[in-house]
Amino acid sequence: MIGRAWVVALSLFAGLAQASASQDAIAWLAKVSAASQTLNYAGTFVYQAGRTTETSRIAHISDATGEYERLETLDGPPREIVRSNGDVRFYLPQEKIIISDHAMPKRFPAWAHVSPDQLMGNYNVRLGSLDRVAGMPAQQVVLEPRDAFRYGHTFWVEPGSGLMLKSRMLDSTGAVVEQFAFSDVSIGGLVERDKVRSRYAAAAGGWREINARGAAVTPEEAGVSCRGLLPGFRPISTVRRQVKDGGADAVHLVYSDGLATISVFVEPIVQGRKTPVVGESAVGPTRIFKRLIGAQYLVTALGEVPPESVRRLAESVEIRQK
């Protein structure tokens, strides 16, 4: 009886220790979320996915009037993203196009604060070792998926400020799906306002502007539902927007598990046009699955998740008759 009591006690203590370790890691993620919104920072980071490598420069300012950010690519065709609080403008100089949209789901080095319960329901969250990135100390925060519907992640966080210095996404074999990492970064202090202003805005008077903001609608108004959601994913927005020039409006649904995000587009098929190609595909780390509902609708699900996840979510979509 005494031996069994010791086993029970040790199991209890182990469970408490694991819960405490998860809470410590969650606290680090909360620090990252706050840092990405409230800090001034500027630097250069490298993105890698498969054989693709891309270098970008970012500057971020937070003050009494809000958040401002400018990101420009330094490789290949010039591209620029400028964020002013909740509004985002994409500048494509070669095409002379500006795309305006609402703020997107946050990407490196930002972290959107989410419910700890939702996050821990889908991932084992723990602290890793102390490392070094861009010449700075970096605490690893590890998120291991609890099932095969999502990828694993490791974040490297600068301990003093809480800014994320590096982010790595891993598949079920431990192979790197994609990685972001600062090569140099300055944290805190003054970032000049010009650093977050577009370099193309003054010359873009004759450029074509596309409004991709769309209009928020309720699921009932959209007439679209999912009969069985992907485990761990919750609906976070439903928007009606135009996804193709001259095309009919599509319904854009977004689902999240607290870290990964999947977009689902449901658009009417224009009669007389070529039948869309359906099935699985990929663009870099983004997995895509398309299917038809009768001859009337095309459903497209896409996200940086395993192929099975986008397929299951796409196949769960139903059109409700109004």
Side-chain angles (χ1 to χ4, degrees):
M1 292 295 291
I2 294 176
R4 183 177 297 176
W6 270 108
V7 170
V8 172
L10 288 172
S11 298
L12 177 61
F13 289 143
L16 291 173
Q18 184 176 12
S20 177
S22 294
Q23 291 297 334
D24 288 344
I26 290 290
W28 275 84
L29 292 177
K31 189 175 182 180
V32 171
S33 176
S36 65
Q37 296 177 57
T38 61
L39 285 177
N40 290 352
Y41 56 87
T44 303
F45 65 83
V46 178
Y47 169 77
Q48 295 175 291
R51 297 181 179 180
T52 299
T53 301
E54 185 176 88
T55 306
S56 299
R57 181 183 294 125
I58 190 171
H60 180 273
I61 291 176
S62 178
D63 60 22
T65 64
E67 279 188 80
Y68 307 89
E69 183 176 284
R70 177 175 172 268
L71 185 149
E72 63 171 330
T73 57
L74 304 181
D75 307 324
R79 285 171 289 144
E80 181 187 74
I81 302 174
V82 177
R83 180 162 67 92
S84 177
N85 291 318
D87 291 320
V88 177
R89 290 170 72 82
F90 300 76
Y91 291 86
L92 306 174
Q94 287 191 347
E95 297 86 351
K96 290 185 167 45
I97 291 175
I98 305 170
I99 303 172
S100 56
D101 203 347
H102 297 300
M104 307 163 294
K106 295 190 174 182
R107 298 271 290 177
F108 181 87
W111 166 265
H113 181 66
V114 297
S115 161
D117 290 340
Q118 183 183 9
L119 199 63
M120 289 191 293
N122 297 314
Y123 299 88
N124 293 312
V125 188
R126 61 178 176 83
L127 294 179
S129 60
L130 189 64
D131 206 343
R132 194 163 176 264
V133 177
M136 300 180 183
Q139 173 64 55
Q140 289 185 6
V141 182
V142 181
L143 297 95
E144 299 164 330
R146 294 184 182 274
D147 57 37
F149 296 120
R150 61 211 91 235
Y151 290 133
H153 298 260
T154 302
F155 301 143
W156 283 257
V157 183
E158 198 283 310
S161 64
L163 187 69
M164 189 185 301
L165 300 178
K166 182 176 175 180
S167 170
R168 180 178 290 170
M169 183 188 297
L170 306 167
D171 67 15
S172 59
T173 69
V176 177
V177 177
E178 70 173 10
Q179 175 176 287
F180 296 84
F182 274 112
S183 55
D184 67 81
V185 62
S186 60
I187 304 172
L190 176 66
V191 174
E192 296 176 358
R193 183 66 65 169
D194 283 348
K195 299 288 188 183
V196 295
R197 292 193 179 111
S198 171
R199 69 166 58 187
Y200 302 109
W207 291 16
R208 181 176 165 218
E209 184 160 354
I210 299 172
N211 185 347
R213 290 184 174 90
V217 294
T218 66
E220 290 72 25
E221 291 170 332
V224 177
S225 64
C226 293
R227 63 179 178 273
L229 283 179
L230 196 63
F233 283 83
R234 302 176 185 175
I236 60 174
S237 70
T238 303
V239 175
R240 193 181 298 279
R241 66 170 79 233
Q242 190 177 81
V243 294
K244 294 177 183 174
D245 271 353
D249 284 353
V251 175
H252 178 198
L253 306 102
V254 180
Y255 298 87
S256 176
D257 70 350
L259 180 57
T261 301
I262 302 176
S263 283
V264 178
F265 294 89
V266 182
E267 55 186 302
I269 296 174
V270 178
Q271 299 302 315
R273 290 192 180 178
K274 187 177 178 181
T275 302
V277 177
V278 298
E280 293 185 8
S281 61
V283 178
T286 301
R287 296 291 178 169
I288 305 166
F289 187 87
K290 296 186 177 185
R291 63 177 280 250
L292 298 175
I293 298 181
Q296 289 79 40
Y297 295 95
L298 172 66
V299 176
T300 305
L302 64 145
E304 293 184 349
V305 292
E308 177 69 6
S309 299
V310 290
R311 184 188 68 79
R312 284 188 55 166
L313 195 53
E315 290 181 344
S316 75
V317 172
E318 292 180 334
I319 306 298
R320 295 196 304 270
Q321 298 300 320
K322 297 182 180 180

